[in-house]
Amino acid sequence: MTSPLLSVSDLRVSFQTDAGVARAVDGVSFTVSAGETVGIVGESGCGKTLTALSLLRLIPSGGKLAPSSRVEFEGADMLSIPERELRAVRGRRMAMIFQEPMTALNPVLTVGDQVAEVVRVHTKRSRSEAWALAVAMLARVGIPDAAARAAQYPHELSGGMRQRVMIAMALVLEPALVIADEPTTALDVTIQAQILELLRELRERIGMAVLLITHDLGVVAEMASRVLVMYAGEVVEEAPVESLFAQPIHPYTEGLLAAVPSLALASQTTQERLRTIPGTVPPPTAWPSGCRFRDRCEHAWERCATDAPALVQVQPAHRVRCHLVQEPERRRT
Ligand code: SF4
C-alpha cells in the first residue's frame, strides 16, 4: 500500500483564555490519499477550520500545539520543518482556499498581480508567463472578461468574484492538496457548480487531493469519497460517503443529515424526520464530561455523563465515537 499524501495524528490545539483552557482541536487523526476528496463537516465551533489551518501551520496567535500532534505531508513533518521549507510547500504543493477573501487579498495589488505573484514566488516563470497563467486561471474559475478583470483591485470586484480570485490563487500551480474551507458558500449555484467541476477536473487530471471543509452536506455528497464528522474538537464519525449517508451511526451525524431536506429523504434512518439539532455547540473551555454531545443527544443515559466514548471501528473504514456501538439497545426509536 502506498503511504497517504497527508497523515494527521493526534492533532491538539489549545488556547489560554480568561475562561480557562480552550481545547479547540482535541486529538484529531485522519489521512488523505492522492486524488482523494475528504470532507470535514460539523457546525461552526467544532474545530474544522482550526484543524485545516493547523495543517499549514497557520494557527491564530495564542494557539498552542500539543507535542503529540503530527502532520506529515509528502513525507515532510509540517509542524517542525523550518519556515523557509514551509513557505515552499504552502501555495505550491498544499494550498488553501480561505473563507474570507477580503482579509486574505492584498488591497493595493491588482488581482491579476496577486495570482501571478503565486506563480513567480514558486516557479522560474517570467513576469509575462506568470501573468498569462493568472489570466487563464481567472477565466477557469468563471471570471468573465478575465484579462480586463485581472487589472482591477479587490475592492472593484464583488464578493463572489473575490472568492473566485482566491480559488484561482490556490489552484494556479495545481497543488497536490487543496484545503477548501467553505469554498463555494458565497457563490451562486452556477458558479458553485463550475468551481466544483474545476476541482473534479484537477482531481482527475493531476491526481489533486481535496480536503473539503463545509457545513453543506449536499456538496459533500457530490464531491467527497470519505467524510469526517467533527463535534466539540473531536472526530465523532468517519466513514465512506455512501455509508455515512445511508446508515449514520452517531446521533450527531443523524441530526446533521436529518436537518437537510433532500438528504433526510434519502437516508434510511432519518426518513420521516426533518429537524434541527436542539441546543448549540458548547464553548471549548467547557466541554461536558463524558460524551461531549450528551446535552443535545436524545439517546443519552447515565454512562454518557461519566464515560468519554472512544472512536471505535465498526466497519473497515467506518469509525464512531458513541456508547451506542456497544449498547445498541439503548437507542430510543
Ligand atoms: Fe449520545 Fe451517549 Fe452516544 Fe454521546 S455516547 S452520542 S450521549 S448516546
Side-chain angles (χ1 to χ4, degrees):
M1 235 174 88
T2 54
S3 53
L5 179 71
L6 172 75
S7 175
V8 178
S9 147
D10 201 28
L11 184 69
R12 291 174 194 272
V13 187
S14 60
F15 295 84
Q16 186 65 52
T17 73
D18 292 344
V21 177
R23 287 177 289 143
V25 175
D26 209 8
V28 167
S29 302
F30 63 94
T31 60
V32 181
S33 298
E36 193 181 22
T37 298
V38 175
I40 303 188
V41 300
E43 296 158 287
S44 319
C46 283
K48 309 183 302 268
T49 295
L50 190 56
T51 298
L53 291 171
S54 308
L55 307 182
L56 283 161
R57 237 159 77 191
L58 293 173
I59 298 169
S61 76
K64 205 166 149 258
L65 268 166
S68 61
S69 309
R70 291 274 171 277
V71 174
E72 217 173 88
F73 174 69
E74 294 189 317
D77 179 348
M78 292 293 286
L79 301 183
S80 68
I81 55 173
E83 190 65 32
R84 201 166 53 83
E85 281 176 48
L86 184 67
R87 277 201 300 270
V89 174
R90 267 190 213 146
R92 176 79 190 93
R93 301 296 299 157
M94 191 197 293
M96 180 149 179
I97 300 170
F98 293 92
Q99 264 180 47
E100 287 157 27
M102 212 41 199
T103 50
L105 290 173
N106 185 336
V108 299
L109 282 181
T110 67
V111 293
D113 276 333
Q114 294 188 58
V115 182
E117 174 82 2
V118 177
V119 179
R120 297 270 291 155
V121 163
H122 292 286
T123 72
K124 294 192 168 23
R125 305 216 191 210
S126 69
R127 197 170 287 277
S128 61
E129 283 172 328
W131 181 263
L133 260 180
V135 171
M137 187 44 92
L138 288 170
R140 285 176 81 189
V141 296
I143 295 195
D145 199 3
R149 290 288 188 182
Q152 293 188 311
Y153 293 88
H155 74 267
E156 297 178 270
L157 304 184
S158 67
M161 291 248 200
R162 287 196 290 262
Q163 180 65 2
R164 280 175 269 168
V165 172
M166 290 294 307
I167 295 170
M169 285 172 74
L171 300 182
V172 68
L173 290 177
E174 304 189 340
L177 172 70
V178 65
I179 303 165
D181 190 1
E182 303 284 3
T184 56
T185 308
L187 305 175
D188 70 47
V189 283
T190 318
I191 299 295
Q192 174 171 331
Q194 196 173 345
I195 299 296
L196 296 180
E197 187 50 43
L198 177 61
L199 292 175
R200 260 194 293 261
E201 183 215 311
L202 290 172
R203 180 173 70 195
E204 249 100 85
R205 191 163 58 75
I206 62 163
M208 183 178 81
V210 182
L211 185 63
L212 187 63
I213 293 157
T214 182
H215 67 278
D216 187 338
L217 287 159
V219 170
V220 167
E222 209 182 308
M223 293 288 293
S225 53
R226 207 148 46 81
V227 189
L228 301 162
V229 180
M230 280 190 75
Y231 186 78
E234 298 179 319
V235 173
V236 295
E237 186 156 12
E238 175 184 357
V241 74
E242 301 80 19
S243 326
L244 192 99
F245 280 54
Q247 282 192 308
I249 295 176
H250 198 285
Y252 181 58
T253 315
E254 284 187 322
L256 288 178
L257 292 174
V260 183
S262 54
L263 296 173
L265 292 175
S267 163
Q268 291 166 5
T269 57
T270 55
Q271 219 154 35
E272 72 295 352
R273 289 180 277 172
L274 179 60
R275 59 203 162 104
T276 52
I277 305 167
T280 52
V281 184
T285 45
W287 299 141
S289 61
C291 174
R292 295 178 184 181
F293 187 58
R294 71 180 159 86
D295 292 341
R296 304 174 73 189
C297 181
E298 61 181 330
H299 308 288
W301 72 100
E302 303 76 34
R303 182 185 176 191
C304 304
T306 54
D307 195 357
L311 194 60
V312 293
Q313 192 146 332
V314 292
Q315 294 279 327
H318 197 155
R319 300 187 294 161
V320 183
R321 190 186 294 279
C322 174
H323 295 316
L324 288 171
V325 171
Q326 293 90 26
E327 300 185 56
E329 68 284 358
R330 296 279 189 174
R331 188 180 284 275
R332 295 186 192 151
T333 49

